[in-house]
Amino acid sequence: MSQQQISPLASVSPEAKLGEGVLVHPFAVIEANTELGEGCIIESGAVIKSGSRLGKHCHIHPGAVIGGIPQDLKYAGEESLAILGDHVSVRECATVNRGTASKGKTVVGSHCLLMAYSHVAHDCVLGDHVILGNATQVAGEVEVDDYAILSGGSLVHQFVRISKHVMLQGGSRVNKDIPPYTLIGRDPIVYCGINIVGLRRRGFTNEQIFRINDIYRTLYQRGLNNSEAFKVIEEEIPDTYERQLILDFVRSSERGIVRGTMD
């Protein structure tokens, strides 16, 4: 691993902890109480603020800010963190705020892509392989699970939960929970089917896809209330990880899930 390469025109606190091979471009700022894993790249004009923890090989592009103070009037200056996993790319002018006393940290998993001008607010938790499209805005304490894709210009209300393998149409306004494996779009948003293309790309078999589709047909298209749909699903569809993930998610939703086209 090569040694650190820190431009003399960058502002790097002597209290910052930088791993091997970190590259810091001119006019980047890295404050005290920060940790950067090996191989990170911090480009010109990027700011890594106090409380930031970056994993290995993260790439922070010009104008991005990691660990900014929460935009929450309840924040009272408490110590908190903004944590990024490994191989996270944060594009131009995107922002990740640190946590508040609510959870104490904002977390972005590994292999995530936060495109330009996107925003991750305080106390959010993003899983691995999440993509936020350009200018997507995620409010406080939102949960976004693995492999979810939120297309450009989406707006996500605070406390919303978005499950695994979801594909969200650009410009969507999300104020309900989004169950796993779904394709969500239109205005206002509705369930538009399952994310077949994404599931096939990630190695789901035809049998798995058919069963997921059957579950959502029962949930959304048979004119049943949730309790009735749960009973039919458990009686007619084999018990699999996918079935249990869907049922657990819907049952645990406090905001309610996105409506179907027949609602």
Side-chain angles (χ1 to χ4, degrees):
M1 176 65 68
S2 61
Q3 297 299 308
Q4 297 168 358
Q5 300 180 57
I6 302 174
S7 169
L9 297 179
S11 175
V12 179
S13 169
E15 299 177 26
K17 297 180 181 179
L18 275 57
E20 292 186 353
V22 168
L23 174 61
V24 183
H25 288 219
F27 311 114
V29 176
I30 302 176
E31 296 183 350
N33 185 27
T34 54
E35 298 178 10
L36 282 66
E38 67 179 45
C40 285
I41 300 173
I42 312 301
E43 294 203 32
S44 298
V47 180
I48 312 299
K49 297 186 71 66
S50 176
S52 297
R53 305 288 186 267
L54 278 60
K56 300 176 182 179
H57 303 288
C58 292
H59 191 163
I60 313 302
H61 289 256
V65 180
I66 309 300
I69 293 172
Q71 299 175 100
D72 185 338
L73 296 177
K74 297 188 299 296
Y75 178 70
E78 61 267 23
E79 290 291 326
S80 59
L81 302 175
I83 301 171
L84 274 58
D86 299 334
H87 299 278
V88 175
S89 179
V90 182
R91 295 304 304 256
E92 294 79 3
C93 301
T95 51
V96 179
N97 288 169
R98 63 178 182 256
T100 68
S102 175
K103 293 181 180 177
K105 59 186 178 181
T106 302
V107 179
V108 176
S110 295
H111 301 280
C112 292
L113 170 58
L114 311 184
M115 294 189 188
Y117 296 96
S118 60
H119 173 65
V120 180
H122 64 88
D123 303 295
C124 287
V125 178
L126 275 58
D128 298 335
H129 300 277
V130 170
I131 297 175
L132 301 186
N134 291 310
T136 289
Q137 308 294 295
V138 180
E141 304 196 44
V142 166
E143 298 178 14
V144 183
D145 213 338
D146 300 344
Y147 290 100
I149 298 176
L150 283 58
S151 300
S154 297
L155 303 175
V156 184
H157 194 279
Q158 62 198 42
F159 302 110
V160 158
R161 297 161 60 224
I162 298 175
S163 193
K164 299 177 186 290
H165 301 283
V166 165
M167 180 68 181
L168 185 65
Q169 173 184 296
S172 295
R173 296 175 293 168
V174 183
N175 61 3
K176 296 289 186 179
D177 291 345
I178 309 297
Y181 314 118
T182 56
L183 183 66
I184 303 297
R186 304 185 187 173
D187 186 19
I189 59 168
V190 293
Y191 166 79
C192 297
I194 66 170
N195 183 17
I196 293 176
V197 173
L199 296 180
R200 285 179 174 158
R201 286 175 177 170
R202 294 166 199 139
F204 282 69
T205 65
N206 285 336
E207 183 180 19
Q208 287 174 304
I209 292 171
F210 292 153
R211 285 178 177 172
I212 291 168
N213 204 30
D214 286 343
I215 291 169
Y216 281 114
R217 269 203 296 263
T218 303
L219 190 61
Y220 280 119
Q221 298 174 350
R222 290 177 62 171
L224 306 173
N225 63 36
N226 281 353
S227 296
E228 294 168 338
F230 296 156
K231 183 177 180 181
V232 171
I233 290 166
E234 290 176 331
E235 290 176 349
E236 297 183 358
I237 298 175
D239 186 8
T240 62
Y241 169 82
E242 292 79 22
R243 189 193 84 169
Q244 200 58 46
L245 179 65
I246 295 168
L247 293 181
D248 287 347
F249 185 92
V250 177
R251 283 171 169 152
S252 65
S253 175
E254 296 181 0
R255 301 186 62 85
I257 63 170
V258 63
R259 68 184 181 89
T261 54
M262 296 179 64
D263 291 351

Tab-separated table of all heavy atoms in Angstrom, residues 217-258:
chain	number	residue	atom	x	y	z
A	217	ARG	N	-49.619	-10.331	-5.385
A	217	ARG	CA	-50.954	-10.425	-5.986
A	217	ARG	C	-52.005	-10.649	-4.904
A	217	ARG	O	-53.085	-10.051	-4.933
A	217	ARG	CB	-50.995	-11.545	-7.024
A	217	ARG	CG	-50.663	-11.092	-8.434
A	217	ARG	CD	-51.232	-12.043	-9.467
A	217	ARG	NE	-50.631	-13.363	-9.353
A	217	ARG	CZ	-49.606	-13.781	-10.099
A	217	ARG	NH1	-49.082	-12.984	-10.991
A	217	ARG	NH2	-49.116	-14.984	-9.942
A	218	THR	N	-51.669	-11.504	-3.955
A	218	THR	CA	-52.598	-11.761	-2.850
A	218	THR	C	-52.763	-10.530	-1.973
A	218	THR	O	-53.878	-10.188	-1.553
A	218	THR	CB	-52.083	-12.943	-2.001
A	218	THR	OG1	-51.925	-14.092	-2.834
A	218	THR	CG2	-53.046	-13.261	-0.872
A	219	LEU	N	-51.680	-9.849	-1.719
A	219	LEU	CA	-51.711	-8.698	-0.819
A	219	LEU	C	-52.430	-7.506	-1.432
A	219	LEU	O	-53.172	-6.787	-0.748
A	219	LEU	CB	-50.272	-8.317	-0.448
A	219	LEU	CG	-50.065	-7.296	0.667
A	219	LEU	CD1	-50.635	-7.794	1.990
A	219	LEU	CD2	-48.574	-6.999	0.830
A	220	TYR	N	-52.248	-7.300	-2.746
A	220	TYR	CA	-52.730	-6.070	-3.372
A	220	TYR	C	-53.932	-6.247	-4.308
A	220	TYR	O	-54.657	-5.286	-4.559
A	220	TYR	CB	-51.603	-5.422	-4.174
A	220	TYR	CG	-50.619	-4.618	-3.349
A	220	TYR	CD1	-49.274	-4.952	-3.308
A	220	TYR	CD2	-51.032	-3.494	-2.626
A	220	TYR	CE1	-48.360	-4.205	-2.577
A	220	TYR	CE2	-50.133	-2.742	-1.882
A	220	TYR	CZ	-48.801	-3.102	-1.861
A	220	TYR	OH	-47.909	-2.357	-1.128
A	221	GLN	N	-54.135	-7.446	-4.854
A	221	GLN	CA	-55.060	-7.558	-5.984
A	221	GLN	C	-56.231	-8.521	-5.779
A	221	GLN	O	-57.008	-8.731	-6.704
A	221	GLN	CB	-54.276	-7.972	-7.246
A	221	GLN	CG	-53.240	-6.935	-7.642
A	221	GLN	CD	-52.348	-7.385	-8.792
A	221	GLN	OE1	-52.369	-8.544	-9.179
A	221	GLN	NE2	-51.567	-6.466	-9.333
A	222	ARG	N	-56.376	-9.080	-4.604
A	222	ARG	CA	-57.463	-10.040	-4.390
A	222	ARG	C	-58.583	-9.482	-3.518
A	222	ARG	O	-59.483	-10.214	-3.107
A	222	ARG	CB	-56.907	-11.340	-3.801
A	222	ARG	CG	-56.074	-12.118	-4.813
A	222	ARG	CD	-55.443	-13.371	-4.246
A	222	ARG	NE	-56.427	-14.353	-3.781
A	222	ARG	CZ	-56.102	-15.590	-3.403
A	222	ARG	NH1	-54.832	-16.004	-3.473
A	222	ARG	NH2	-57.032	-16.427	-2.969
A	223	GLY	N	-58.521	-8.189	-3.241
A	223	GLY	CA	-59.589	-7.557	-2.490
A	223	GLY	C	-59.646	-7.960	-1.026
A	223	GLY	O	-60.707	-7.871	-0.393
A	224	LEU	N	-58.523	-8.380	-0.463
A	224	LEU	CA	-58.462	-8.819	0.931
A	224	LEU	C	-57.876	-7.724	1.801
A	224	LEU	O	-57.036	-6.933	1.353
A	224	LEU	CB	-57.589	-10.071	1.049
A	224	LEU	CG	-57.955	-11.261	0.145
A	224	LEU	CD1	-56.895	-12.343	0.267
A	224	LEU	CD2	-59.331	-11.802	0.504
A	225	ASN	N	-58.296	-7.673	3.072
A	225	ASN	CA	-57.581	-6.807	4.007
A	225	ASN	C	-56.285	-7.519	4.406
A	225	ASN	O	-56.064	-8.695	4.079
A	225	ASN	CB	-58.435	-6.439	5.223
A	225	ASN	CG	-58.823	-7.640	6.077
A	225	ASN	OD1	-58.041	-8.579	6.242
A	225	ASN	ND2	-60.027	-7.603	6.626
A	226	ASN	N	-55.406	-6.813	5.111
A	226	ASN	CA	-54.095	-7.386	5.403
A	226	ASN	C	-54.184	-8.694	6.179
A	226	ASN	O	-53.482	-9.661	5.877
A	226	ASN	CB	-53.240	-6.378	6.166
A	226	ASN	CG	-52.636	-5.322	5.253
A	226	ASN	OD1	-52.751	-5.418	4.033
A	226	ASN	ND2	-52.005	-4.324	5.829
A	227	SER	N	-55.043	-8.744	7.186
A	227	SER	CA	-55.151	-9.962	7.998
A	227	SER	C	-55.596	-11.144	7.151
A	227	SER	O	-55.060	-12.261	7.268
A	227	SER	CB	-56.126	-9.735	9.155
A	227	SER	OG	-55.645	-8.737	10.030
A	228	GLU	N	-56.564	-10.920	6.276
A	228	GLU	CA	-57.029	-11.976	5.386
A	228	GLU	C	-55.934	-12.400	4.412
A	228	GLU	O	-55.732	-13.596	4.162
A	228	GLU	CB	-58.264	-11.506	4.614
A	228	GLU	CG	-59.490	-11.263	5.481
A	228	GLU	CD	-60.600	-10.528	4.746
A	228	GLU	OE1	-60.297	-9.851	3.730
A	228	GLU	OE2	-61.749	-10.616	5.197
A	229	ALA	N	-55.218	-11.397	3.885
A	229	ALA	CA	-54.138	-11.690	2.934
A	229	ALA	C	-53.028	-12.494	3.600
A	229	ALA	O	-52.496	-13.444	3.012
A	229	ALA	CB	-53.592	-10.398	2.350
A	230	PHE	N	-52.665	-12.125	4.823
A	230	PHE	CA	-51.625	-12.870	5.546
A	230	PHE	C	-52.012	-14.342	5.685
A	230	PHE	O	-51.192	-15.239	5.480
A	230	PHE	CB	-51.394	-12.274	6.936
A	230	PHE	CG	-50.859	-10.873	6.941
A	230	PHE	CD1	-51.066	-10.050	8.031
A	230	PHE	CD2	-50.140	-10.370	5.863
A	230	PHE	CE1	-50.583	-8.753	8.055
A	230	PHE	CE2	-49.645	-9.079	5.868
A	230	PHE	CZ	-49.876	-8.261	6.969
A	231	LYS	N	-53.264	-14.584	6.042
A	231	LYS	CA	-53.720	-15.962	6.245
A	231	LYS	C	-53.648	-16.753	4.946
A	231	LYS	O	-53.169	-17.896	4.926
A	231	LYS	CB	-55.155	-15.952	6.782
A	231	LYS	CG	-55.697	-17.335	7.096
A	231	LYS	CD	-57.097	-17.258	7.690
A	231	LYS	CE	-57.639	-18.646	8.003
A	231	LYS	NZ	-59.012	-18.594	8.561
A	232	VAL	N	-54.103	-16.150	3.844
A	232	VAL	CA	-54.061	-16.834	2.552
A	232	VAL	C	-52.617	-17.102	2.131
A	232	VAL	O	-52.285	-18.196	1.651
A	232	VAL	CB	-54.792	-16.001	1.481
A	232	VAL	CG1	-54.559	-16.591	0.093
A	232	VAL	CG2	-56.283	-15.924	1.796
A	233	ILE	N	-51.758	-16.114	2.296
A	233	ILE	CA	-50.347	-16.276	1.915
A	233	ILE	C	-49.709	-17.419	2.693
A	233	ILE	O	-48.992	-18.258	2.130
A	233	ILE	CB	-49.580	-14.950	2.144
A	233	ILE	CG1	-50.026	-13.900	1.120
A	233	ILE	CG2	-48.069	-15.178	2.054
A	233	ILE	CD1	-49.586	-12.491	1.454
A	234	GLU	N	-49.958	-17.475	3.985
A	234	GLU	CA	-49.354	-18.525	4.809
A	234	GLU	C	-49.925	-19.898	4.488
A	234	GLU	O	-49.247	-20.918	4.648
A	234	GLU	CB	-49.548	-18.192	6.286
A	234	GLU	CG	-48.707	-17.007	6.729
A	234	GLU	CD	-48.948	-16.583	8.164
A	234	GLU	OE1	-50.068	-16.785	8.674
A	234	GLU	OE2	-48.006	-16.035	8.766
A	235	GLU	N	-51.159	-19.954	4.010
A	235	GLU	CA	-51.774	-21.237	3.655
A	235	GLU	C	-51.389	-21.716	2.261
A	235	GLU	O	-51.230	-22.915	2.032
A	235	GLU	CB	-53.302	-21.119	3.743
A	235	GLU	CG	-53.844	-20.988	5.165
A	235	GLU	CD	-55.347	-20.767	5.185
A	235	GLU	OE1	-55.930	-20.497	4.094
A	235	GLU	OE2	-55.933	-20.826	6.280
A	236	GLU	N	-51.197	-20.778	1.326
A	236	GLU	CA	-51.061	-21.163	-0.082
A	236	GLU	C	-49.634	-21.091	-0.618
A	236	GLU	O	-49.334	-21.721	-1.637
A	236	GLU	CB	-51.966	-20.273	-0.950
A	236	GLU	CG	-53.448	-20.423	-0.664
A	236	GLU	CD	-54.308	-19.582	-1.598
A	236	GLU	OE1	-53.729	-18.849	-2.441
A	236	GLU	OE2	-55.546	-19.663	-1.491
A	237	ILE	N	-48.771	-20.327	0.037
A	237	ILE	CA	-47.426	-20.097	-0.505
A	237	ILE	C	-46.393	-20.689	0.450
A	237	ILE	O	-46.448	-20.450	1.660
A	237	ILE	CB	-47.180	-18.590	-0.719
A	237	ILE	CG1	-48.198	-18.057	-1.745
A	237	ILE	CG2	-45.751	-18.322	-1.186
A	237	ILE	CD1	-48.151	-16.569	-1.955
A	238	PRO	N	-45.444	-21.477	-0.066
A	238	PRO	CA	-44.454	-22.130	0.804
A	238	PRO	C	-43.676	-21.131	1.659
A	238	PRO	O	-43.463	-19.981	1.259
A	238	PRO	CB	-43.525	-22.842	-0.192
A	238	PRO	CG	-44.356	-23.035	-1.413
A	238	PRO	CD	-45.277	-21.855	-1.480
A	239	ASP	N	-43.263	-21.593	2.829
A	239	ASP	CA	-42.517	-20.752	3.761
A	239	ASP	C	-41.079	-20.612	3.276
A	239	ASP	O	-40.314	-21.579	3.264
A	239	ASP	CB	-42.550	-21.376	5.160
A	239	ASP	CG	-41.904	-20.480	6.204
A	239	ASP	OD1	-41.581	-19.322	5.873
A	239	ASP	OD2	-41.730	-20.938	7.345
A	240	THR	N	-40.725	-19.434	2.834
A	240	THR	CA	-39.370	-19.139	2.371
A	240	THR	C	-38.872	-17.862	3.049
A	240	THR	O	-39.643	-17.135	3.681
A	240	THR	CB	-39.343	-18.925	0.849
A	240	THR	OG1	-40.166	-17.778	0.531
A	240	THR	CG2	-39.857	-20.149	0.116
A	241	TYR	N	-37.587	-17.592	2.877
A	241	TYR	CA	-37.029	-16.347	3.412
A	241	TYR	C	-37.759	-15.144	2.841
A	241	TYR	O	-38.096	-14.202	3.564
A	241	TYR	CB	-35.537	-16.260	3.080
A	241	TYR	CG	-34.943	-14.889	3.361
A	241	TYR	CD1	-34.552	-14.523	4.648
A	241	TYR	CD2	-34.792	-13.954	2.334
A	241	TYR	CE1	-34.021	-13.267	4.912
A	241	TYR	CE2	-34.268	-12.695	2.583
A	241	TYR	CZ	-33.884	-12.362	3.872
A	241	TYR	OH	-33.378	-11.113	4.124
A	242	GLU	N	-38.020	-15.170	1.539
A	242	GLU	CA	-38.674	-14.031	0.901
A	242	GLU	C	-40.083	-13.818	1.456
A	242	GLU	O	-40.487	-12.682	1.732
A	242	GLU	CB	-38.741	-14.236	-0.617
A	242	GLU	CG	-37.384	-14.203	-1.319
A	242	GLU	CD	-36.603	-15.492	-1.193
A	242	GLU	OE1	-37.234	-16.545	-0.932
A	242	GLU	OE2	-35.370	-15.460	-1.337
A	243	ARG	N	-40.829	-14.904	1.626
A	243	ARG	CA	-42.180	-14.781	2.181
A	243	ARG	C	-42.139	-14.188	3.573
A	243	ARG	O	-42.907	-13.276	3.910
A	243	ARG	CB	-42.869	-16.149	2.217
A	243	ARG	CG	-44.355	-16.064	2.575
A	243	ARG	CD	-44.958	-17.418	2.913
A	243	ARG	NE	-44.710	-17.761	4.314
A	243	ARG	CZ	-45.307	-18.782	4.943
A	243	ARG	NH1	-46.154	-19.567	4.275
A	243	ARG	NH2	-45.035	-19.042	6.200
A	244	GLN	N	-41.220	-14.687	4.399
A	244	GLN	CA	-41.163	-14.207	5.777
A	244	GLN	C	-40.725	-12.754	5.845
A	244	GLN	O	-41.227	-11.974	6.662
A	244	GLN	CB	-40.207	-15.075	6.602
A	244	GLN	CG	-40.434	-14.987	8.104
A	244	GLN	CD	-41.849	-15.384	8.497
A	244	GLN	OE1	-42.375	-16.393	8.028
A	244	GLN	NE2	-42.491	-14.569	9.327
A	245	LEU	N	-39.786	-12.358	4.972
A	245	LEU	CA	-39.336	-10.963	4.955
A	245	LEU	C	-40.489	-10.029	4.625
A	245	LEU	O	-40.677	-8.990	5.277
A	245	LEU	CB	-38.207	-10.784	3.937
A	245	LEU	CG	-37.654	-9.366	3.795
A	245	LEU	CD1	-36.968	-8.920	5.089
A	245	LEU	CD2	-36.667	-9.283	2.628
A	246	ILE	N	-41.289	-10.391	3.627
A	246	ILE	CA	-42.428	-9.555	3.237
A	246	ILE	C	-43.439	-9.462	4.372
A	246	ILE	O	-43.883	-8.369	4.752
A	246	ILE	CB	-43.082	-10.099	1.955
A	246	ILE	CG1	-42.117	-9.989	0.775
A	246	ILE	CG2	-44.377	-9.332	1.657
A	246	ILE	CD1	-42.569	-10.756	-0.459
A	247	LEU	N	-43.827	-10.610	4.932
A	247	LEU	CA	-44.835	-10.603	5.988
A	247	LEU	C	-44.350	-9.859	7.229
A	247	LEU	O	-45.093	-9.073	7.822
A	247	LEU	CB	-45.216	-12.043	6.345
A	247	LEU	CG	-45.951	-12.839	5.262
A	247	LEU	CD1	-46.279	-14.235	5.769
A	247	LEU	CD2	-47.220	-12.129	4.817
A	248	ASP	N	-43.103	-10.081	7.618
A	248	ASP	CA	-42.571	-9.386	8.800
A	248	ASP	C	-42.539	-7.880	8.581
A	248	ASP	O	-42.859	-7.099	9.486
A	248	ASP	CB	-41.160	-9.894	9.127
A	248	ASP	CG	-41.158	-11.294	9.720
A	248	ASP	OD1	-42.241	-11.780	10.104
A	248	ASP	OD2	-40.070	-11.905	9.781
A	249	PHE	N	-42.156	-7.473	7.367
A	249	PHE	CA	-42.080	-6.042	7.077
A	249	PHE	C	-43.455	-5.392	7.148
A	249	PHE	O	-43.634	-4.351	7.789
A	249	PHE	CB	-41.459	-5.808	5.700
A	249	PHE	CG	-41.238	-4.357	5.376
A	249	PHE	CD1	-40.036	-3.746	5.673
A	249	PHE	CD2	-42.240	-3.599	4.782
A	249	PHE	CE1	-39.834	-2.401	5.389
A	249	PHE	CE2	-42.040	-2.259	4.496
A	249	PHE	CZ	-40.842	-1.660	4.810
A	250	VAL	N	-44.432	-6.002	6.492
A	250	VAL	CA	-45.771	-5.405	6.459
A	250	VAL	C	-46.381	-5.385	7.857
A	250	VAL	O	-46.982	-4.389	8.281
A	250	VAL	CB	-46.668	-6.158	5.464
A	250	VAL	CG1	-48.086	-5.588	5.488
A	250	VAL	CG2	-46.100	-6.066	4.050
A	251	ARG	N	-46.227	-6.468	8.598
A	251	ARG	CA	-46.786	-6.531	9.946
A	251	ARG	C	-46.158	-5.513	10.893
A	251	ARG	O	-46.816	-5.005	11.795
A	251	ARG	CB	-46.609	-7.938	10.516
A	251	ARG	CG	-47.605	-8.954	9.966
A	251	ARG	CD	-47.252	-10.351	10.385
A	251	ARG	NE	-48.341	-11.299	10.090
A	251	ARG	CZ	-48.166	-12.589	9.849
A	251	ARG	NH1	-46.931	-13.104	9.850
A	251	ARG	NH2	-49.204	-13.365	9.601
A	252	SER	N	-44.896	-5.207	10.695
A	252	SER	CA	-44.201	-4.301	11.604
A	252	SER	C	-44.295	-2.835	11.192
A	252	SER	O	-43.785	-1.960	11.894
A	252	SER	CB	-42.720	-4.695	11.705
A	252	SER	OG	-42.067	-4.526	10.453
A	253	SER	N	-44.953	-2.563	10.066
A	253	SER	CA	-45.031	-1.185	9.577
A	253	SER	C	-45.939	-0.342	10.462
A	253	SER	O	-47.118	-0.666	10.649
A	253	SER	CB	-45.549	-1.165	8.140
A	253	SER	OG	-45.729	0.165	7.698
A	254	GLU	N	-45.398	0.737	10.982
A	254	GLU	CA	-46.186	1.656	11.798
A	254	GLU	C	-46.832	2.748	10.959
A	254	GLU	O	-47.892	3.271	11.316
A	254	GLU	CB	-45.303	2.275	12.883
A	254	GLU	CG	-44.763	1.258	13.878
A	254	GLU	CD	-43.911	1.887	14.949
A	254	GLU	OE1	-43.725	3.136	14.923
A	254	GLU	OE2	-43.412	1.150	15.828
A	255	ARG	N	-46.235	3.095	9.846
A	255	ARG	CA	-46.776	4.130	8.962
A	255	ARG	C	-47.771	3.575	7.963
A	255	ARG	O	-48.521	4.325	7.339
A	255	ARG	CB	-45.647	4.831	8.198
A	255	ARG	CG	-44.595	5.501	9.059
A	255	ARG	CD	-43.612	6.274	8.193
A	255	ARG	NE	-44.285	7.340	7.470
A	255	ARG	CZ	-44.517	8.551	7.970
A	255	ARG	NH1	-44.153	8.836	9.193
A	255	ARG	NH2	-45.124	9.472	7.247
A	256	GLY	N	-47.757	2.256	7.787
A	256	GLY	CA	-48.535	1.638	6.723
A	256	GLY	C	-47.713	1.576	5.450
A	256	GLY	O	-46.809	2.385	5.229
A	257	ILE	N	-48.029	0.589	4.598
A	257	ILE	CA	-47.261	0.425	3.371
A	257	ILE	C	-47.914	1.187	2.226
A	257	ILE	O	-49.071	1.564	2.288
A	257	ILE	CB	-47.096	-1.062	3.002
A	257	ILE	CG1	-48.454	-1.706	2.719
A	257	ILE	CG2	-46.353	-1.811	4.097
A	257	ILE	CD1	-48.358	-3.104	2.125
A	258	VAL	N	-47.132	1.393	1.179
A	258	VAL	CA	-47.629	2.076	-0.012
A	258	VAL	C	-48.845	1.327	-0.545
A	258	VAL	O	-48.927	0.095	-0.476
A	258	VAL	CB	-46.505	2.146	-1.073
A	258	VAL	CG1	-46.085	0.758	-1.535
A	258	VAL	CG2	-46.911	3.011	-2.246
